[in-house]
PDB file of all heavy atoms in Angstrom:
ATOM      1  N   HIS A  93     -46.186 -35.089  82.066  1.00 99.00           N
ATOM      2  CA  HIS A  93     -45.017 -34.632  81.311  1.00 99.00           C
ATOM      3  C   HIS A  93     -43.879 -34.390  82.300  1.00 99.00           C
ATOM      4  O   HIS A  93     -43.840 -33.370  82.961  1.00 99.00           O
ATOM      5  CB  HIS A  93     -45.341 -33.350  80.527  1.00 99.00           C
ATOM      6  CG  HIS A  93     -44.195 -32.806  79.712  1.00 99.00           C
ATOM      7  ND1 HIS A  93     -44.356 -32.358  78.414  1.00 99.00           N
ATOM      8  CD2 HIS A  93     -42.893 -32.599  80.004  1.00 99.00           C
ATOM      9  CE1 HIS A  93     -43.186 -31.908  77.960  1.00 99.00           C
ATOM     10  NE2 HIS A  93     -42.289 -32.036  78.910  1.00 99.00           N
ATOM     11  N   HIS A  95     -39.381 -35.160  83.023  1.00 98.00           N
ATOM     12  CA  HIS A  95     -38.061 -35.696  82.643  1.00 98.00           C
ATOM     13  C   HIS A  95     -37.408 -36.165  83.945  1.00 98.00           C
ATOM     14  O   HIS A  95     -36.350 -35.669  84.341  1.00 98.00           O
ATOM     15  CB  HIS A  95     -37.211 -34.616  81.979  1.00 98.00           C
ATOM     16  CG  HIS A  95     -37.851 -33.911  80.823  1.00 98.00           C
ATOM     17  ND1 HIS A  95     -37.471 -34.103  79.509  1.00 98.00           N
ATOM     18  CD2 HIS A  95     -38.859 -33.000  80.758  1.00 98.00           C
ATOM     19  CE1 HIS A  95     -38.205 -33.343  78.696  1.00 98.00           C
ATOM     20  NE2 HIS A  95     -39.057 -32.669  79.424  1.00 98.00           N
ATOM     21  N   LYS A 162     -39.903 -39.283  80.530  1.00 99.00           N
ATOM     22  CA  LYS A 162     -39.245 -39.263  79.222  1.00 99.00           C
ATOM     23  C   LYS A 162     -37.766 -39.636  79.368  1.00 99.00           C
ATOM     24  O   LYS A 162     -37.139 -39.377  80.400  1.00 99.00           O
ATOM     25  CB  LYS A 162     -39.347 -37.863  78.601  1.00 99.00           C
ATOM     26  CG  LYS A 162     -40.764 -37.336  78.487  1.00 99.00           C
ATOM     27  CD  LYS A 162     -40.787 -35.908  77.968  1.00 99.00           C
ATOM     28  CE  LYS A 162     -42.165 -35.303  78.115  1.00 99.00           C
ATOM     29  NZ  LYS A 162     -43.148 -35.884  77.178  1.00 99.00           N
ATOM     30  N   HIS A 263     -42.854 -31.623  72.196  1.00 98.00           N
ATOM     31  CA  HIS A 263     -42.527 -30.325  72.789  1.00 98.00           C
ATOM     32  C   HIS A 263     -42.698 -29.323  71.656  1.00 98.00           C
ATOM     33  O   HIS A 263     -41.881 -29.309  70.724  1.00 98.00           O
ATOM     34  CB  HIS A 263     -41.082 -30.307  73.277  1.00 98.00           C
ATOM     35  CG  HIS A 263     -40.834 -31.042  74.549  1.00 98.00           C
ATOM     36  ND1 HIS A 263     -40.917 -32.406  74.675  1.00 98.00           N
ATOM     37  CD2 HIS A 263     -40.493 -30.576  75.762  1.00 98.00           C
ATOM     38  CE1 HIS A 263     -40.632 -32.755  75.930  1.00 98.00           C
ATOM     39  NE2 HIS A 263     -40.370 -31.675  76.613  1.00 98.00           N
ATOM     40  N   HIS A 286     -46.208 -27.432  75.929  1.00 98.00           N
ATOM     41  CA  HIS A 286     -45.701 -26.065  76.109  1.00 98.00           C
ATOM     42  C   HIS A 286     -46.683 -25.071  75.474  1.00 98.00           C
ATOM     43  O   HIS A 286     -47.511 -24.524  76.167  1.00 98.00           O
ATOM     44  CB  HIS A 286     -44.305 -25.844  75.521  1.00 98.00           C
ATOM     45  CG  HIS A 286     -43.185 -26.378  76.350  1.00 98.00           C
ATOM     46  ND1 HIS A 286     -42.824 -25.836  77.554  1.00 98.00           N
ATOM     47  CD2 HIS A 286     -42.338 -27.410  76.137  1.00 98.00           C
ATOM     48  CE1 HIS A 286     -41.792 -26.497  78.054  1.00 98.00           C
ATOM     49  NE2 HIS A 286     -41.484 -27.468  77.231  1.00 98.00           N
ATOM     50  N   LEU A 308     -47.363 -26.151  80.547  1.00 98.00           N
ATOM     51  CA  LEU A 308     -46.286 -26.424  81.509  1.00 98.00           C
ATOM     52  C   LEU A 308     -45.908 -25.117  82.215  1.00 98.00           C
ATOM     53  O   LEU A 308     -44.891 -24.476  81.896  1.00 98.00           O
ATOM     54  CB  LEU A 308     -45.098 -27.034  80.760  1.00 98.00           C
ATOM     55  CG  LEU A 308     -45.447 -28.293  79.939  1.00 98.00           C
ATOM     56  CD1 LEU A 308     -44.285 -28.712  79.041  1.00 98.00           C
ATOM     57  CD2 LEU A 308     -45.869 -29.443  80.839  1.00 98.00           C
ATOM     58  N   ASP A 338     -43.493 -30.774  84.000  1.00 98.00           N
ATOM     59  CA  ASP A 338     -42.321 -30.732  83.108  1.00 98.00           C
ATOM     60  C   ASP A 338     -41.034 -30.857  83.932  1.00 98.00           C
ATOM     61  O   ASP A 338     -39.999 -30.283  83.575  1.00 98.00           O
ATOM     62  CB  ASP A 338     -42.273 -29.445  82.293  1.00 98.00           C
ATOM     63  CG  ASP A 338     -41.184 -29.476  81.195  1.00 98.00           C
ATOM     64  OD1 ASP A 338     -40.731 -30.592  80.833  1.00 98.00           O
ATOM     65  OD2 ASP A 338     -40.773 -28.388  80.733  1.00 98.00           O
TER      66      ASP A 338
HETATM   67 FE1   FE B  31     -40.306 -31.102  78.743  1.00 60.35          FE
END
Side-chain angles (χ1 to χ4, degrees):
H93 180 136
H95 307 252
K162 305 175 191 289
H263 284 68
H286 282 291
L308 305 171
D338 189 19

